[in-house]
């Protein structure tokens, strides 16, 4: 959704949301989550980094 509006800004946010039956609050929450991830997403990213490091250090095992 956000990629569509990023690629085609001439469409306008509100008309696209209306056509897709997506509440504007949902769209703006998605946008906020892109720049300010919630605690769970931050923690998941940290764990993913740790898992990759352990995997690399173990020779891919």
């Amino acid at each position: 959704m956000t990629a569509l509006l990023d690629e085609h800004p001439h469409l306008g946010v509100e008309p696209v949301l209306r056509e897709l039956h997506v509440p504007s609050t949902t769209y703006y929450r998605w946008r906020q989550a892109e720049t300010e991830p919630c605690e769970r997403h931050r923690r998941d990213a940290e764990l993913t980094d740790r898992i990759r490091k352990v995997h690399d250090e173990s020779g891919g095992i």
Side-chain angles (χ1 to χ4, degrees):
M1 163 59 67
T2 57
L4 170 71
L5 290 165
D6 287 345
E7 292 177 28
H8 304 285
H10 63 280
L11 297 175
V13 173
E14 296 301 325
V16 171
L17 296 177
R18 252 191 323 275
E19 191 65 31
L20 297 175
H21 305 288
V22 175
S24 60
T25 55
T26 300
Y27 170 77
Y28 291 111
R29 194 172 356 141
W30 288 336
R31 279 294 189 197
Q32 182 180 12
E34 291 175 345
T35 59
E36 302 173 20
C38 67
E39 180 60 32
R40 168 136 188 232
H41 288 157
R42 286 192 298 268
R43 182 75 176 134
D44 286 352
E46 291 172 11
L47 289 173
T48 299
D49 289 342
R50 288 175 55 196
I51 290 168
R52 285 192 175 120
K53 182 178 177 187
V54 169
H55 183 260
D56 290 344
E57 290 173 352
S58 72
I61 298 175

Coordinates of all heavy atoms in Angstrom, one line a residue:
M1 N 0.8 -1.2 0.0 CA 0.0 0.0 0.0 C 0.9 1.2 0.0 O 0.7 2.1 -0.8 CB -0.9 0.0 1.2 CG -1.5 1.3 1.5 SD -2.5 2.0 0.3 CE -3.8 0.9 0.2
T2 N 1.8 1.3 0.9 CA 2.6 2.5 1.0 C 3.5 2.6 -0.2 O 3.8 3.7 -0.7 CB 3.4 2.6 2.3 OG1 4.2 1.4 2.4 CG2 2.5 2.7 3.5
A3 N 4.0 1.5 -0.7 CA 4.8 1.5 -1.9 C 4.0 2.1 -3.1 O 4.6 2.8 -3.9 CB 5.4 0.1 -2.2
L4 N 2.8 1.7 -3.2 CA 2.0 2.2 -4.3 C 1.9 3.7 -4.3 O 2.1 4.4 -5.3 CB 0.5 1.6 -4.3 CG -0.5 2.2 -5.2 CD1 -0.2 1.8 -6.6 CD2 -1.9 1.8 -4.8
L5 N 1.6 4.2 -3.2 CA 1.5 5.7 -3.0 C 2.8 6.4 -3.2 O 2.9 7.5 -3.6 CB 0.8 6.0 -1.7 CG -0.7 5.7 -1.7 CD1 -1.2 5.7 -0.3 CD2 -1.5 6.6 -2.7
D6 N 3.9 5.7 -2.8 CA 5.3 6.3 -3.0 C 5.6 6.4 -4.5 O 6.2 7.3 -4.9 CB 6.3 5.5 -2.2 CG 6.3 5.6 -0.7 OD1 5.6 6.6 -0.3 OD2 6.9 4.8 0.0
E7 N 5.2 5.3 -5.2 CA 5.6 5.3 -6.6 C 4.6 6.2 -7.5 O 5.0 6.6 -8.6 CB 5.5 3.8 -7.1 CG 6.5 2.9 -6.6 CD 6.4 1.5 -7.0 OE1 5.8 1.3 -8.1 OE2 6.8 0.6 -6.3
H8 N 3.4 6.4 -7.0 CA 2.5 7.2 -7.7 C 1.8 8.3 -6.8 O 0.7 8.3 -6.6 CB 1.3 6.3 -8.3 CG 1.8 5.2 -9.1 ND1 2.3 5.3 -10.4 CD2 2.0 3.8 -8.8 CE1 2.7 4.1 -10.8 NE2 2.5 3.2 -9.9
P9 N 2.7 9.3 -6.5 CA 2.2 10.3 -5.6 C 1.1 11.2 -6.2 O 0.3 11.8 -5.5 CB 3.4 11.2 -5.2 CG 4.4 10.9 -6.3 CD 4.1 9.5 -6.8
H10 N 1.0 11.2 -7.5 CA 0.0 12.0 -8.2 C -1.4 11.5 -7.9 O -2.4 12.2 -8.1 CB 0.3 12.0 -9.7 CG 0.2 10.7 -10.4 ND1 1.3 9.8 -10.3 CD2 -0.8 10.1 -11.1 CE1 0.9 8.7 -10.9 NE2 -0.3 8.8 -11.4
L11 N -1.5 10.2 -7.5 CA -2.9 9.6 -7.2 C -3.5 10.3 -6.0 O -4.7 10.4 -5.9 CB -2.8 8.1 -7.0 CG -2.3 7.3 -8.2 CD1 -2.1 5.9 -7.8 CD2 -3.2 7.5 -9.4
G12 N -2.7 10.7 -5.0 CA -3.3 11.2 -3.8 C -3.6 10.1 -2.8 O -4.2 9.1 -3.2
V13 N -3.4 10.4 -1.6 CA -3.6 9.4 -0.5 C -5.1 9.1 -0.3 O -5.5 7.9 -0.4 CB -2.9 9.8 0.8 CG1 -3.3 8.9 1.9 CG2 -1.4 9.9 0.6
E14 N -5.8 10.1 -0.1 CA -7.2 9.9 0.3 C -8.0 9.2 -0.8 O -8.8 8.3 -0.5 CB -7.9 11.3 0.7 CG -7.2 11.9 1.9 CD -7.3 11.0 3.2 OE1 -8.3 10.3 3.3 OE2 -6.4 11.1 4.0
P15 N -7.9 9.6 -2.1 CA -8.7 8.9 -3.1 C -8.4 7.4 -3.2 O -9.2 6.6 -3.4 CB -8.4 9.6 -4.4 CG -7.9 11.0 -4.0 CD -7.2 10.8 -2.6
V16 N -7.1 7.1 -3.1 CA -6.7 5.7 -3.1 C -7.2 4.9 -1.9 O -7.7 3.8 -2.1 CB -5.1 5.6 -3.2 CG1 -4.7 4.1 -3.0 CG2 -4.6 6.2 -4.5
L17 N -7.1 5.5 -0.8 CA -7.7 4.8 0.4 C -9.2 4.6 0.3 O -9.7 3.5 0.7 CB -7.3 5.6 1.7 CG -5.9 5.8 2.0 CD1 -5.7 6.7 3.2 CD2 -5.2 4.5 2.2
R18 N -9.9 5.6 -0.2 CA -11.3 5.4 -0.4 C -11.6 4.3 -1.3 O -12.5 3.5 -1.1 CB -11.9 6.7 -0.9 CG -12.7 7.5 0.1 CD -13.5 8.6 -0.6 NE -12.9 9.4 -1.7 CZ -12.1 10.4 -1.5 NH1 -11.8 10.8 -0.3 NH2 -11.5 11.0 -2.6
E19 N -10.9 4.3 -2.4 CA -11.1 3.2 -3.4 C -10.8 1.8 -2.9 O -11.5 0.9 -3.2 CB -10.3 3.5 -4.7 CG -10.6 2.7 -5.9 CD -12.0 2.9 -6.4 OE1 -12.5 4.1 -6.3 OE2 -12.5 2.0 -7.0
L20 N -9.8 1.7 -2.1 CA -9.5 0.4 -1.5 C -10.2 0.1 -0.2 O -9.9 -1.0 0.4 CB -7.9 0.4 -1.3 CG -7.1 0.5 -2.6 CD1 -5.6 0.5 -2.2 CD2 -7.4 -0.7 -3.5
H21 N -11.0 1.0 0.3 CA -11.7 0.9 1.5 C -10.8 0.6 2.7 O -11.0 -0.3 3.6 CB -12.7 -0.3 1.5 CG -13.7 -0.2 0.3 ND1 -14.7 0.8 0.3 CD2 -13.8 -0.8 -0.9 CE1 -15.4 0.7 -0.8 NE2 -14.8 -0.3 -1.6
V22 N -9.7 1.4 2.7 CA -8.7 1.4 3.8 C -8.9 2.7 4.6 O -8.8 3.8 4.1 CB -7.3 1.3 3.3 CG1 -6.3 1.4 4.4 CG2 -7.1 0.0 2.5
P23 N -9.1 2.6 5.9 CA -9.2 3.8 6.8 C -7.9 4.6 6.8 O -6.8 4.0 6.8 CB -9.5 3.3 8.2 CG -9.9 1.8 8.0 CD -9.3 1.4 6.7
S24 N -8.0 5.9 6.7 CA -6.8 6.7 6.7 C -6.0 6.5 8.0 O -4.8 6.6 7.9 CB -7.2 8.2 6.6 OG -8.0 8.6 7.6
T25 N -6.6 6.2 9.1 CA -5.8 6.0 10.3 C -4.9 4.7 10.1 O -3.8 4.7 10.6 CB -6.8 5.7 11.5 OG1 -7.7 4.7 11.2 CG2 -7.5 7.0 11.9
T26 N -5.4 3.7 9.4 CA -4.6 2.5 9.2 C -3.4 2.9 8.3 O -2.3 2.5 8.6 CB -5.4 1.5 8.5 OG1 -6.5 1.1 9.3 CG2 -4.6 0.2 8.2
Y27 N -3.6 3.7 7.3 CA -2.5 4.1 6.4 C -1.4 4.9 7.2 O -0.3 4.6 7.1 CB -3.0 4.9 5.3 CG -1.9 5.6 4.5 CD1 -1.2 4.9 3.6 CD2 -1.6 6.9 4.6 CE1 -0.2 5.4 2.8 CE2 -0.6 7.5 3.9 CZ 0.1 6.8 3.0 OH 1.1 7.4 2.3
Y28 N -1.9 5.8 8.0 CA -0.9 6.6 8.7 C -0.2 5.9 9.8 O 0.9 6.1 10.2 CB -1.6 7.9 9.2 CG -1.9 8.8 8.1 CD1 -3.2 9.1 7.7 CD2 -0.9 9.4 7.3 CE1 -3.6 9.9 6.6 CE2 -1.2 10.2 6.3 CZ -2.5 10.5 5.9 OH -2.8 11.3 4.8
R29 N -0.9 4.8 10.4 CA -0.2 4.0 11.3 C 0.9 3.1 10.6 O 2.0 2.9 11.2 CB -1.2 3.0 12.0 CG -0.7 2.3 13.2 CD -1.8 1.6 13.9 NE -3.1 1.8 13.3 CZ -4.1 0.9 13.1 NH1 -3.9 -0.3 13.6 NH2 -5.2 1.2 12.5
W30 N 0.6 2.7 9.4 CA 1.6 1.9 8.6 C 2.8 2.8 8.4 O 3.9 2.4 8.5 CB 1.1 1.5 7.3 CG 0.1 0.4 7.3 CD1 -0.1 -0.6 8.3 CD2 -0.9 0.1 6.3 NE1 -1.1 -1.4 8.0 CE2 -1.6 -1.1 6.8 CE3 -1.2 0.6 5.1 CZ2 -2.6 -1.6 6.0 CZ3 -2.3 0.1 4.4 CH2 -2.9 -1.1 4.9
R31 N 2.5 4.1 8.0 CA 3.6 5.0 7.7 C 4.4 5.3 9.0 O 5.7 5.3 8.9 CB 3.1 6.4 7.3 CG 2.7 6.4 5.8 CD 4.0 6.3 5.0 NE 3.6 6.5 3.6 CZ 4.4 6.1 2.6 NH1 5.6 5.5 2.9 NH2 4.1 6.3 1.4
Q32 N 3.8 5.4 10.1 CA 4.5 5.7 11.4 C 5.4 4.5 11.7 O 6.5 4.6 12.2 CB 3.6 6.0 12.5 CG 4.3 6.3 13.8 CD 3.3 6.6 14.9 OE1 2.1 6.3 14.8 NE2 3.8 7.1 16.0
A33 N 4.8 3.3 11.5 CA 5.6 2.0 11.8 C 6.8 1.9 11.0 O 7.8 1.3 11.4 CB 4.7 0.8 11.6
E34 N 6.9 2.5 9.8 CA 8.1 2.4 9.0 C 9.2 3.2 9.6 O 10.4 2.9 9.5 CB 7.8 3.0 7.6 CG 6.9 2.1 6.7 CD 6.5 2.8 5.4 OE1 6.7 4.0 5.3 OE2 6.0 2.1 4.6
T35 N 8.9 4.3 10.3 CA 9.9 5.2 10.8 C 10.1 4.9 12.3 O 11.2 5.2 12.8 CB 9.6 6.7 10.6 OG1 8.4 7.0 11.2 CG2 9.6 7.0 9.1
E36 N 9.1 4.4 13.0 CA 9.2 4.2 14.4 C 8.6 2.8 14.7 O 7.5 2.6 15.2 CB 8.3 5.2 15.2 CG 8.7 6.7 15.0 CD 7.7 7.6 15.6 OE1 7.0 7.2 16.5 OE2 7.7 8.8 15.2
P37 N 9.5 1.8 14.5 CA 9.0 0.4 14.7 C 8.6 0.2 16.2 O 9.3 0.8 17.1 CB 10.1 -0.5 14.3 CG 11.3 0.4 14.2 CD 10.9 1.8 14.1
C38 N 7.7 -0.7 16.4 CA 7.3 -1.0 17.8 C 8.3 -1.8 18.5 O 9.3 -2.3 17.9 CB 5.9 -1.7 17.8 SG 6.0 -3.4 17.1
E39 N 8.2 -2.0 19.8 CA 9.2 -2.7 20.6 C 9.4 -4.1 20.1 O 10.5 -4.6 20.0 CB 8.8 -2.7 22.1 CG 9.7 -3.4 23.0 CD 11.1 -2.8 23.0 OE1 11.3 -1.6 22.8 OE2 12.1 -3.6 23.2
R40 N 8.4 -4.8 19.7 CA 8.5 -6.2 19.2 C 9.3 -6.2 17.9 O 10.2 -7.1 17.8 CB 7.1 -6.8 19.0 CG 7.2 -8.1 18.2 CD 6.3 -9.1 18.7 NE 6.6 -10.4 18.0 CZ 5.7 -11.1 17.4 NH1 4.5 -10.8 17.5 NH2 6.1 -12.2 16.8
H41 N 9.1 -5.3 17.0 CA 9.9 -5.3 15.8 C 11.3 -5.0 16.0 O 12.2 -5.5 15.4 CB 9.2 -4.3 14.7 CG 8.0 -4.8 14.2 ND1 7.0 -4.0 13.6 CD2 7.4 -6.1 14.1 CE1 6.0 -4.7 13.2 NE2 6.2 -6.0 13.5
R42 N 11.6 -4.1 16.9 CA 13.0 -3.7 17.3 C 13.7 -5.0 17.9 O 14.8 -5.3 17.6 CB 13.0 -2.6 18.3 CG 12.7 -1.2 17.6 CD 13.1 -0.1 18.5 NE 12.3 0.0 19.7 CZ 11.2 0.6 19.9 NH1 10.6 1.3 18.9 NH2 10.5 0.6 21.0
R43 N 12.9 -5.6 18.8 CA 13.5 -6.8 19.5 C 13.7 -7.9 18.4 O 14.8 -8.6 18.5 CB 12.6 -7.3 20.6 CG 13.0 -8.5 21.3 CD 14.2 -8.1 22.3 NE 14.5 -9.3 23.1 CZ 15.8 -9.6 23.3 NH1 16.8 -8.9 22.8 NH2 16.0 -10.7 24.0
D44 N 12.8 -8.1 17.5 CA 12.9 -9.1 16.5 C 14.2 -8.9 15.6 O 14.9 -9.8 15.3 CB 11.7 -9.2 15.6 CG 10.5 -9.9 16.2 OD1 10.7 -10.5 17.4 OD2 9.4 -9.9 15.7
A45 N 14.4 -7.6 15.3 CA 15.6 -7.2 14.5 C 16.9 -7.5 15.2 O 17.8 -8.0 14.7 CB 15.5 -5.7 14.1
E46 N 16.9 -7.2 16.5 CA 18.1 -7.5 17.4 C 18.3 -9.0 17.4 O 19.5 -9.5 17.3 CB 17.9 -7.0 18.8 CG 17.9 -5.5 18.9 CD 17.5 -5.1 20.3 OE1 17.4 -5.9 21.2 OE2 17.2 -3.9 20.5
L47 N 17.3 -9.8 17.6 CA 17.4 -11.3 17.7 C 17.9 -11.8 16.3 O 18.7 -12.7 16.3 CB 16.1 -11.9 18.1 CG 15.7 -11.7 19.6 CD1 14.3 -12.3 19.8 CD2 16.7 -12.4 20.5
T48 N 17.4 -11.3 15.2 CA 17.8 -11.7 13.9 C 19.2 -11.5 13.7 O 20.0 -12.3 13.2 CB 16.9 -11.0 12.8 OG1 15.6 -11.4 13.0 CG2 17.4 -11.4 11.4
D49 N 19.7 -10.3 14.1 CA 21.2 -10.0 14.0 C 22.0 -11.0 14.8 O 23.0 -11.5 14.3 CB 21.4 -8.6 14.4 CG 20.9 -7.5 13.5 OD1 20.6 -7.9 12.3 OD2 20.8 -6.4 13.9
R50 N 21.5 -11.3 16.0 CA 22.3 -12.2 16.9 C 22.3 -13.6 16.3 O 23.3 -14.3 16.3 CB 21.7 -12.3 18.3 CG 22.0 -11.0 19.1 CD 21.3 -10.9 20.4 NE 21.6 -12.1 21.2 CZ 20.9 -12.4 22.3 NH1 19.9 -11.7 22.7 NH2 21.2 -13.5 23.0
I51 N 21.2 -14.0 15.7 CA 21.1 -15.4 15.1 C 22.0 -15.4 13.9 O 22.8 -16.4 13.7 CB 19.7 -15.7 14.7 CG1 18.8 -15.9 15.9 CG2 19.6 -16.9 13.8 CD1 17.3 -15.9 15.7
R52 N 22.1 -14.4 13.1 CA 23.0 -14.4 11.9 C 24.4 -14.4 12.4 O 25.2 -15.1 11.7 CB 22.7 -13.2 11.1 CG 21.4 -13.2 10.3 CD 21.3 -12.1 9.2 NE 20.1 -12.4 8.4 CZ 19.1 -11.5 8.3 NH1 19.2 -10.4 8.9 NH2 18.1 -11.8 7.6
K53 N 24.8 -13.7 13.4 CA 26.1 -13.7 13.9 C 26.5 -15.1 14.4 O 27.6 -15.6 14.0 CB 26.3 -12.7 15.0 CG 27.7 -12.6 15.5 CD 27.8 -11.5 16.6 CE 29.2 -11.5 17.2 NZ 29.3 -10.6 18.4
V54 N 25.7 -15.7 15.2 CA 26.0 -17.1 15.7 C 26.1 -18.0 14.5 O 27.0 -18.9 14.4 CB 24.9 -17.6 16.7 CG1 25.1 -19.0 17.0 CG2 25.0 -16.7 17.9
H55 N 25.2 -17.9 13.5 CA 25.3 -18.8 12.3 C 26.6 -18.6 11.6 O 27.2 -19.6 11.2 CB 24.0 -18.5 11.5 CG 23.9 -19.3 10.3 ND1 24.3 -18.9 9.0 CD2 23.4 -20.6 10.2 CE1 24.1 -19.9 8.2 NE2 23.5 -20.9 8.8
D56 N 27.0 -17.4 11.4 CA 28.2 -17.1 10.6 C 29.4 -17.6 11.4 O 30.3 -18.2 10.8 CB 28.4 -15.6 10.4 CG 27.4 -15.0 9.4 OD1 26.8 -15.9 8.6 OD2 27.2 -13.8 9.3
E57 N 29.4 -17.4 12.7 CA 30.6 -17.8 13.6 C 30.7 -19.4 13.6 O 31.7 -19.9 13.8 CB 30.5 -17.3 15.0 CG 30.7 -15.8 15.0 CD 30.4 -15.2 16.4 OE1 29.9 -15.9 17.3 OE2 30.7 -14.0 16.5
S58 N 29.6 -20.1 13.4 CA 29.6 -21.5 13.5 C 29.9 -22.2 12.2 O 29.8 -23.4 12.0 CB 28.2 -22.0 14.0 OG 27.2 -21.8 13.0
G59 N 30.2 -21.4 11.2 CA 30.4 -21.9 9.9 C 29.2 -22.3 9.1 O 29.2 -23.1 8.2
G60 N 28.1 -21.7 9.5 CA 26.8 -21.9 8.8 C 26.0 -23.1 9.3 O 25.2 -23.6 8.7
I61 N 26.4 -23.5 10.5 CA 25.7 -24.6 11.1 C 24.6 -24.1 12.1 O 24.8 -23.3 12.9 CB 26.6 -25.6 11.9 CG1 27.6 -26.2 10.9 CG2 25.9 -26.7 12.6 CD1 28.7 -27.0 11.4

